[in-house]
Amino acid sequence: MPEDINDTQKDYRAVRLRKENFRKNKVFVEKKVSVDVYIPSLVSVGQLAQLLNVRLARLQRKMEQSGMGEETSYDHVLTSDYAVLLAEEFGKNPVVNDEMAFDIYPSPPHPEPSTLPLRPPVVAIMGHVDHGKTTLLDTLRSTSVAQSEAGGITQHIGAFSVPVPSTGNDNGLKSITFLDTPGHAAFSAMRARGAGVTDIIILVVAADDGIMPQTREVINLIKKEQDKVGVVVAINKVDKPGINIEAVQQSLLAEGLQLEQYGGDVPAVAVSGKTGEGLPSLVETLSAIAEMQDLRAENEGPVHGYVLESNMHKGMGSVATVLVLRGSLKIGSHIISGLSYARVRVMNDSNGKPVKVATPGMAVTVSGWKSLPTAGDDVLQGSETNIKKAIANRERKAEIDSSLADVEAINQTRRQEREKRELELQSGKDAAAADEQTEDGPKELRLIIKADVSGSAEAVVGALQGIGNDVATTKVISSGVGDITDTDVTLAQTAGGMIVAFNVNASKQVQVAAAQKNVIILSSGIIYKLMDDVQEHVIKLLPVIIEKKITGEAQVLQIFDIQAKKQVVKVAGCRVTNGTVERSKQARVIRNGETVHEGPIETLRVIKKDVMEVRKGSECGLSLANFSDLQAGDSIQMFTMIEKPGVL
């Protein structure tokens, strides 16, 4: 009987050992979550690209690779069979369901665009800070915007219509719509969005300043979009004395802009935003380019436009500036943009006057939104029923995307925990050491951004998100519109971050709460000041740079053996050649160009008297602590350790 018990215990131990070995050698395979995509029975190529959340060009390349090269046009209609195959190519899980896949899309292009009426061109004014963009536009529309803006820099994207002088042709161009884009590199996000709806770009270059960093940024943007947009160079501030227009033209040519003056196709116009010189010529040039582009759009039918900016207006609620590109927007229309929708209650034009109908090329402020739309989103029209159905599907899709992001975060955390356990098992190190080994990524400066309008919030996020390097960087954990609230302060405290406020305020109560919770609030109405302030805080996260500053140097002339307390001490007879040799400083011995020792000075004497310092030109005797290998000809340098902030 005892033998049977022993055999049972042995079998039990063997099974347990096999289980432990299996756990140790178990390979964890992470399965990628397959995303459900609802596809209708019939779907156009353009709509399918939006459903799959891929660029149209990428979908068209995939179709060409699959032998569908003749069916890649934007408005070509695919059956669900082909759409399912393409969705699977992008790693999606297609589900054919007309009800769940319903959404509102832009109308397909008109089959005969030449029969449509002309629409005003959309012109974006871009260039370097303080090159006179706002003053130029201010002169064009005869208002005084430039004087009221912080630092002379446009803080929001706005759109304004400028009438074109009549040419006697009733069907000719009647107005030009200008997008007023901010002038600092930090607003590249706004610029990129502005260029997406832009027909012509005016590159403003100051005649007294020439090519600057933001000028090059715009030139790079122009090169990317050169097949889609027209370009005009406005050489501004020609009223200033001593300017050289030809030098500016040559520098533009060196940057790759082929100006008409040098045989290219880019016109350059000399203007003065201050005096109005050259502005009629600029408008004529824009009109000529627009005529060559033959810009046409439907004046009737469902509207298609873009949100340029949005904000909360006291008494009117959520308000958005909408640029209409196709169709007509009327009072009472039902429109959708992203996850927001509206029944248009009030529309005002760029001069603040109420309008009942907005046609292509017009920018109007629209009130009646149920929530604040996001700058840059499409604005589309539909029936109230269809819009509510589309909103429900978009919200469901947004929730799924959010859940998938949470799943990825959970998987990442579990993977790090698993790697930590494996390190502990393999190396036997404690948890703290394992944490150090598995800790990955740079230090993060977490930011909560609040701005006055969504367009500015988007641009500030884009500007601050890229500050840092692989050691320390910024991370925007939240952004929103409106004044700073207690919730923002609590979030910043919980995340260990700070609040960045652009053109918004914080009440005294909120400021007190932030001080009590040690939450920093950076506030300014000028974007590049916020960039500088955030950069300073990122630098504080970097490890300090320790430099050695040489304060004195002595040359060893001869070595003496001195009897002291039952031992012989080697003392170097030296002459101070530079600076001051101080006993309190650290010393290093240089021999044949290499450092052979670093350490403190043990004794420093002049004749037989102990001293604290010896100046240049004097002779002294010194010995170093824990080093007895001094030789004639050695150089002894005194130095101090200086801590400097890290460099991005």
Side-chain angles (χ1 to χ4, degrees), residues 130 206-208 236-244 272 274-275 277:
D130 294 333
D208 61 340
N236 198 17
K237 302 185 181 181
V238 295
D239 56 296
K240 288 194 171 184
I243 55 98
N244 188 343
S272 170
K274 190 174 181 181
T275 65
E277 178 187 346

Side-chain angles (χ1 to χ4, degrees), residues 225-248:
E225 304 286 334
Q226 61 186 357
D227 296 332
K228 303 175 185 176
V229 296
V231 181
V232 178
V233 175
I235 302 175
N236 198 17
K237 302 185 181 181
V238 295
D239 56 296
K240 288 194 171 184
I243 55 98
N244 188 343
I245 295 177
E246 188 176 349
V248 176

Side-chain angles (χ1 to χ4, degrees), residues 3 70 77 89 175 222 231 233 287 294 377 396 405 409 417 460 485 508 522 532 623:
E3 290 180 1
E70 297 180 357
V77 177
E89 286 289 325
S175 65
I222 288 171
V231 181
V233 175
S287 300
D294 195 30
D377 281 351
R396 187 194 69 252
E417 291 176 353
V460 173
T485 63
K508 287 186 178 180
L522 301 179
D532 292 341
S623 63

Side-chain angles (χ1 to χ4, degrees), residues 32-37 85-94:
K32 193 165 183 177
V33 181
S34 185
V35 184
D36 286 345
V37 174
L85 292 173
L86 289 168
E88 289 174 345
E89 286 289 325
F90 287 97
K92 311 290 186 182
N93 182 30

Side-chain angles (χ1 to χ4, degrees), residues 126 131 203-207 209-211 215 233-237 248 252:
M126 301 183 181
H131 274 202
L203 172 58
V204 179
V205 184
D209 215 2
I211 304 294
T215 314
V233 175
I235 302 175
N236 198 17
K237 302 185 181 181
V248 176
L252 287 166

Side-chain angles (χ1 to χ4, degrees), residues 421-436:
R421 288 195 300 270
E422 288 173 356
L423 277 173
E424 289 175 348
L425 288 171
Q426 291 174 7
S427 62
K429 294 182 178 180
D430 59 11
D435 278 340
E436 288 180 7

Side-chain angles (χ1 to χ4, degrees), residues 321-357:
T321 303
V322 176
L323 175 65
V324 179
L325 293 182
R326 297 172 63 191
S328 60
L329 183 60
K330 302 175 182 177
I331 299 291
S333 299
H334 293 274
I335 53 178
I336 183 173
S337 178
L339 297 177
S340 182
Y341 66 101
R343 182 179 183 274
V344 180
R345 287 192 303 168
V346 179
M347 288 194 300
N348 296 318
D349 64 11
S350 56
N351 296 318
K353 296 179 180 179
V355 293
K356 293 184 178 180
V357 180

Side-chain angles (χ1 to χ4, degrees), residues 134-335:
T134 302
T135 306
L136 186 64
L137 193 61
D138 177 50
T139 307
L140 283 166
R141 67 179 186 257
S142 300
T143 56
S144 55
V145 175
Q147 295 177 1
S148 65
E149 289 178 346
I153 294 176
T154 305
Q155 301 301 334
H156 310 143
I157 285 184
F160 308 89
S161 292
V162 174
V164 173
S166 175
T167 58
N169 183 3
D170 293 338
N171 297 323
L173 196 63
K174 293 182 175 61
S175 65
I176 297 174
T177 301
F178 286 90
L179 289 186
D180 192 1
T181 54
H184 192 270
F187 286 96
S188 57
M190 278 183 163
R191 284 211 184 122
R193 186 180 69 247
V197 297
T198 298
D199 301 309
I200 305 171
I201 292 176
I202 298 178
L203 172 58
V204 179
V205 184
D208 61 340
D209 215 2
I211 304 294
M212 300 298 284
Q214 283 76 38
T215 314
R216 291 190 180 90
E217 177 198 339
V218 179
I219 291 173
N220 291 333
L221 182 62
I222 288 171
K223 289 177 180 177
K224 292 177 184 177
E225 304 286 334
Q226 61 186 357
D227 296 332
K228 303 175 185 176
V229 296
V231 181
V232 178
V233 175
I235 302 175
N236 198 17
K237 302 185 181 181
V238 295
D239 56 296
K240 288 194 171 184
I243 55 98
N244 188 343
I245 295 177
E246 188 176 349
V248 176
Q249 292 174 343
Q250 290 176 352
S251 60
L252 287 166
L253 189 66
E255 292 292 333
L257 276 187
Q258 304 298 322
L259 300 183
E260 283 184 350
Q261 288 82 348
Y262 295 95
D265 55 0
V266 178
V269 183
V271 299
S272 170
K274 190 174 181 181
T275 65
E277 178 187 346
L279 293 190
S281 177
L282 177 63
V283 173
E284 286 177 14
T285 304
L286 294 172
S287 300
I289 292 176
E291 286 179 15
M292 287 189 292
Q293 291 177 327
D294 195 30
L295 304 168
R296 298 177 182 272
E298 303 94 327
N299 278 345
E300 298 295 333
V303 74
H304 178 208
Y306 288 92
V307 176
L308 295 180
E309 71 174 23
S310 60
N311 63 340
M312 296 297 295
H313 190 282
K314 191 173 183 180
M316 297 182 69
S318 299
V319 176
T321 303
V322 176
L323 175 65
V324 179
L325 293 182
R326 297 172 63 191
S328 60
L329 183 60
K330 302 175 182 177
I331 299 291
S333 299
H334 293 274
I335 53 178

